[in-house]
Amino acid sequence: MNELKKCSISGVAFIFEKVAYNRLAEYIESLKRAYKDNSESEEIIADIEARIAELILSAISDQSQTVCLPLIENIIKQLGSAEDITGNDEPAVPTTDTRIARRLYRDMESSKLGGVCSGLGKYFNIDPVLIRLAIFSPLILIPISNISHHIHWLHPLGQNIFWVLIVAYIIMWFVVPQAVSARQKLEMEGEAVTAKAIADRQKDTTDELRAKSTLATFIGGLGKFAIVCLKAFVAIVIFAMIFFCISLIAAFMAIITGVGTTLIEAGELGTIADVVSTFGTGLTLSALFAVLVPAMVIIYLLCSLILGNKPRGWVLFVSLIIWIIFIIGLFTTAISTVNSMGTDEVERIMKHDWDDTIIDEPIDSLEYMRLLNDPNATEI
């Protein structure tokens, strides 16, 4: 039976066969020796380890699955040996296609502001200038709308589309990661992520950073400041939404226990006790949950946004199912409540005091509406 060994690669835990672990450790040590004279050796090795972790994860179905020697040998062939890097031998021809699918990153090397358009250009392999023009193209509709009153609707249409694109740009600036490391830049361009390619790209990145202009540095700092302000605004929204959810939960607990319903305000509807007496317990609880579920989902999405984490699909799916159930319950309860309101209930509502108006006898709806609109009506 093969001996197993646990180890972490680029922050990801794996279970290795001992021979596979020894082979990988030997490979990484050879890379460290090959890059020992390179000032960027730590960044290069970190990128290579991150790529190794990605290749392992793409080859196994579960992190608890054992990593075997053939997989490690195949990964080493894809990345290239230390001899390929130092040039002591002829570079080995990869046995597999090492090209990868492009990944979306913000490209700060050719950026004008946040690198979103240039990143989209790299991802779709088109000129980022076309994307920048597409963002501002809806503004053309505004002067066109002034030509004739028949197309005046183009003005708000162009304006709304433009602001939607601006908001989408800000969100992508906030969510899409920046291509910082050599590995990320290779992934952005869909190039083969080999050890030699990472080393060459790391050298180019260092030279570009040294030649970076003062204006680009200022714009980059301005963008970072804008991101901080946006995160602060999102944090305020999160706290407001949390307070709103706590209020809904407090109202729910008050209805269930019957304690404090007269203390919790419900805006123009009065207190929670007034709402329950008017609409019933079932309808009120269904309405509370129908609002609470999407509010909690918004909090989850905003927290994922501010932390830079990808929202989990199963959380959103389960929340959607729960929300649909409560919406169905809300409509069902509402229909049942309306059907249960008979003539006596209508008469009770019509006899309710309205300012100083006192109604002693049931009246028809037309007479009731006349009284509502007559400020001089005092008593019948």
Side-chain angles (χ1 to χ4, degrees):
M1 181 177 179
N2 292 329
E3 184 179 349
L4 302 180
K5 191 174 184 64
K6 291 184 179 180
C7 73
S8 175
I9 303 176
S10 189
V12 183
F14 296 102
I15 300 176
F16 278 76
E17 292 181 355
K18 187 174 182 179
V19 289
Y21 173 82
N22 292 337
R23 179 70 181 95
L24 181 60
E26 177 186 346
Y27 173 67
I28 293 177
E29 284 298 324
S30 66
L31 293 178
K32 291 180 179 179
R33 290 193 297 270
Y35 291 122
K36 64 180 180 179
D37 297 329
N38 192 317
S39 60
E40 308 293 334
S41 60
E42 292 184 3
E43 289 80 2
I44 295 173
I45 297 299
D47 278 342
I48 294 174
E49 289 180 350
R51 181 58 180 163
I52 291 173
E54 288 181 352
L55 292 174
I56 295 176
L57 288 173
S58 64
I60 62 178
S61 58
D62 189 358
Q63 284 181 234
S64 61
Q65 186 176 342
T66 304
V67 180
C68 57
L69 181 60
L71 174 58
I72 297 301
E73 293 289 357
N74 185 44
I75 291 174
I76 293 175
K77 287 181 181 180
Q78 291 186 48
L79 295 178
S81 64
E83 289 76 14
D84 298 333
I85 299 167
T86 56
N88 294 336
D89 297 325
E90 290 295 325
V93 179
T95 57
T96 59
D97 187 4
T98 56
R99 292 175 299 176
I100 61 173
R102 295 175 186 263
R103 295 186 180 180
L104 181 59
Y105 290 97
R106 289 187 293 114
D107 180 20
M108 299 304 296
E109 294 179 3
S110 56
S111 66
K112 298 300 181 183
L113 185 59
V116 174
C117 294
S118 54
L120 289 172
K122 290 288 180 65
Y123 185 77
F124 294 106
N125 197 23
I126 59 177
D127 192 338
V129 175
L130 299 177
I131 299 178
R132 296 186 182 107
L133 290 175
I135 292 178
F136 289 94
S137 59
L139 295 179
I140 300 176
L141 300 177
I142 296 177
I144 293 177
S145 65
N146 298 327
I147 298 176
S148 172
H149 68 277
H150 295 293
I151 55 175
H152 66 279
W153 52 270
L154 289 177
H155 186 286
L157 177 63
Q159 196 174 41
N160 292 337
I161 293 176
F162 172 72
W163 284 113
V164 167
L165 292 176
I166 292 298
V167 171
Y169 184 96
I170 294 174
I171 292 175
M172 293 187 68
W173 189 355
F174 195 24
V175 175
V176 178
Q178 175 184 342
V180 178
S181 66
R183 175 183 59 87
Q184 291 173 330
K185 292 178 180 179
L186 291 170
E187 291 174 342
M188 178 176 62
E189 298 173 1
E191 297 183 5
V193 185
T194 63
K196 190 174 189 306
I198 290 175
D200 294 340
R201 181 54 63 92
Q202 184 66 42
K203 182 178 182 300
D204 295 339
T205 300
T206 304
D207 295 340
E208 289 165 0
L209 290 175
R210 290 171 181 169
K212 194 173 183 180
S213 65
T214 304
L215 178 61
T217 303
F218 172 75
I219 293 177
L222 188 63
K224 291 180 180 179
F225 175 75
I227 291 297
V228 171
C229 294
L230 186 58
K231 285 186 176 182
F233 173 75
V234 173
I236 294 173
V237 174
I238 290 174
F239 281 115
M241 292 296 297
I242 291 175
F243 179 79
F244 177 68
C245 289
I246 292 175
S247 301
L248 293 178
I249 295 173
F252 170 78
M253 296 301 298
I255 295 173
I256 294 297
T257 60
V259 178
T261 54
T262 58
L263 302 177
I264 302 177
E265 296 290 335
E268 297 180 356
L269 297 176
T271 64
I272 291 297
D274 297 329
V275 175
V276 172
S277 64
T278 303
F279 299 102
T281 302
L283 184 59
T284 305
L285 291 177
S286 299
L288 286 175
F289 272 104
V291 177
L292 178 61
V293 172
M296 295 184 70
V297 170
I298 292 174
I299 293 175
Y300 172 70
L301 292 176
L302 291 177
C303 288
S304 300
L305 184 68
I306 201 170
L307 296 176
N309 298 330
K310 183 179 179 181
R312 296 185 180 273
W314 68 268
V315 174
L316 301 179
F317 178 75
V318 171
S319 300
L320 176 62
I321 296 299
I322 295 175
W323 183 72
I324 291 175
I325 292 174
F326 282 114
I327 287 294
I328 294 174
L330 176 62
F331 279 101
T332 304
T333 310
I335 294 173
S336 176
T337 302
V338 171
N339 291 335
S340 65
M341 290 179 63
T343 306
D344 295 338
E345 180 67 14
V346 175
E347 290 180 355
R348 184 187 68 82
I349 296 176
M350 294 179 67
K351 286 184 177 181
H352 192 276
D353 291 347
W354 182 267
D355 293 334
D356 293 328
T357 302
I358 301 175
I359 301 176
D360 294 329
E361 297 179 359
I363 59 175
D364 58 39
S365 58
L366 293 177
E367 182 67 14
Y368 181 63
M369 293 303 297
R370 186 190 69 78
L371 291 173
L372 294 182
N373 296 322
D374 187 359
N376 298 321
T378 59
E379 182 177 353
I380 293 181

